[in-house]
Amino acid sequence: MNINELNKKVPLFARSEENIWTDPYVAKQLLTAHLDEQADGATRNKVFVEKSVEWLTDQFPVTEYPKILDLGCGPGIYAEKFCRKGYQVTGLDFSQTSIDYAQQSAELQTLSINYVCADYLKADWQKERYDLIFMIYCDLGVLSHQGQRCILQKAAQALNPGGKLVFDVFTPERYKDFVPTQTWQIEENSFWSVETCLHLQESRQYSRTYLDAHHLIYQDKQKTFYIWETVFTPEEMIQELTTTGFKEIEVYKSIAGDLWGADDETACFAATI
Ligand SMILES: C[S@@+](CC[C@H](N)C(=O)[O-])C[C@H]1O[C@@H](n2cnc3c(N)ncnc32)[C@H](O)[C@@H]1O
């Protein structure tokens, strides 16, 4: 373990070698979290998801918007529901664990969904055309500013004229009581590790961005996970979307609709190209 490295402030948006969504062990824990219908884990709870699908499909009917791209689709919980409502759905995610589950689940239910295992920052999904692009559960905010712009620009290219990009973000309200922490524990058979390890955790604020860092120290190796999250006010996001060429930007309380209010921890945007 390099104590000096641990003691340095992590540069903003630095990428850790490990990623929670692609690390084989943590990705399995996250699949369990996705499938837990009671909790707002990797997917929101079942009641919210159902309300969300009803609102999205009401607002953007299949007759006008037949072709959907679900960016960061996870194990396909939303994708399956859109497919059942008659949309032509592509789900893209870089977690092989989630995509394998999604493909098997679709096959079992004879649902025709096009799943792609790829990194949405690197893959050329903007070469296809869609009527709706969804990014659900505040995924845009986990990216660097450069990554966020990359997604908005690719989405602008990938949408048919009149098509919509619909996504949610966390607002500053989410972190209004934020307190930086540094904690440690010895653990095994936990969310993070099956083997015994020393788990060091740190949370830190960088203006509107927050870092949740986890270091797992083993006898013979170390694993590090950085999880970044940037929060946005609606004004900031509207500005970003407008700069990218989006128009008619609507703001809602969440990806399940409702009017936005200043106390809300999330905001949802539906932007037209
Ligand atoms: C919070 S989960 C939300 C999953 C899904 N949208 C839902 O609400 O059920 C974030 C998803 O984005 C995926 N993801 C994160 N970064 C990605 C990237 N760079 N490329 C593709 N998928 C990514 C993760 O694997 C994960 O499935």
Side-chain angles (χ1 to χ4, degrees):
M1 175 171 53
N2 186 334
I3 306 280
N4 288 334
E5 276 303 309
L6 280 177
N7 198 29
K8 279 190 201 150
K9 184 177 176 188
V10 178
L12 181 65
F13 297 130
R15 292 177 82 150
S16 51
E17 251 169 58
E18 279 78 26
N19 182 295
I20 55 166
W21 301 107
T22 53
D23 175 84
Y25 178 74
V26 179
K28 274 198 199 119
Q29 309 300 308
L30 285 165
L31 177 59
T32 306
H34 276 295
L35 302 176
D36 179 346
E37 296 184 336
Q38 308 308 318
D40 288 330
T43 297
R44 285 202 176 89
N45 70 80
K46 186 178 181 203
V47 173
F48 181 94
V49 171
E50 279 170 2
K51 183 178 173 209
S52 173
V53 171
E54 283 314 306
W55 179 72
L56 289 166
T57 55
D58 233 49
Q59 197 79 0
F60 311 110
V62 64
T63 43
E64 273 179 72
Y65 304 94
K67 211 171 154 199
I68 293 180
L69 172 64
D70 185 3
L71 287 174
C73 62
I77 291 164
Y78 278 84
E80 288 182 1
K81 295 187 193 309
F82 296 135
C83 177
R84 285 187 190 287
K85 295 222 178 231
Y87 295 86
Q88 190 185 328
V89 186
T90 294
L92 189 151
D93 202 290
F94 73 166
S95 163
Q96 191 67 56
T97 309
S98 279
I99 290 294
D100 286 350
Y101 180 95
Q103 279 170 333
Q104 278 169 25
S105 176
E107 218 172 285
L108 277 173
Q109 299 172 76
T110 50
L111 295 172
S112 172
I113 302 174
N114 176 33
Y115 284 115
V116 181
C117 188
D119 184 333
Y120 48 47
L121 292 169
K122 296 183 187 152
D124 282 338
W125 48 270
Q126 76 279 12
K127 291 189 175 157
E128 271 292 317
R129 289 292 168 267
Y130 302 93
D131 303 302
L132 287 173
I133 298 179
F134 293 143
M135 202 172 188
I136 301 172
Y137 209 176
C138 304
D139 280 357
L140 195 73
V142 306
L143 305 174
S144 65
H145 294 315
Q146 198 190 1
Q148 291 156 19
R149 267 183 216 133
C150 162
I151 296 294
L152 297 185
Q153 284 165 3
K154 282 181 167 187
Q157 286 175 52
L159 282 167
N160 282 321
K164 307 259 186 192
L165 170 66
V166 186
F167 63 99
D168 52 353
V169 297
F170 287 117
T171 69
E173 270 302 288
R174 166 88 171 175
Y175 285 91
K176 70 175 190 298
D177 300 322
F178 177 82
V179 180
T181 56
Q182 286 185 328
T183 64
W184 68 271
Q185 58 257 347
I186 307 277
E187 60 187 49
E188 63 183 0
N189 285 325
S190 67
F191 176 88
W192 292 99
S193 178
V194 70
E195 300 160 61
T196 310
C197 69
L198 166 63
H199 181 177
L200 310 176
Q201 184 273 345
E202 177 180 29
S203 45
R204 225 183 232 270
Q205 179 171 8
Y206 301 61
S207 182
R208 285 284 178 76
T209 300
Y210 297 82
L211 169 66
D212 180 25
H214 297 264
H215 304 275
L216 310 179
I217 318 287
Y218 298 89
Q219 295 280 11
D220 54 349
K221 64 178 178 195
Q222 180 177 331
K223 279 183 169 188
T224 296
F225 298 89
Y226 296 149
I227 306 165
W228 296 98
E229 189 154 83
T230 301
V231 297
F232 305 87
T233 63
E235 294 74 21
E236 286 162 349
M237 187 49 77
I238 289 170
Q239 174 68 46
E240 207 54 50
L241 286 163
T242 310
T243 310
T244 319
F246 286 93
K247 52 188 194 244
E248 296 162 31
I249 301 156
E250 289 156 10
V251 185
Y252 301 92
K253 181 189 181 80
S254 75
I255 199 107
D258 296 327
L259 281 181
W260 189 80
D263 293 344
D264 290 328
E265 283 195 3
T266 60
C268 164
F269 301 85
T272 309
I273 203 72

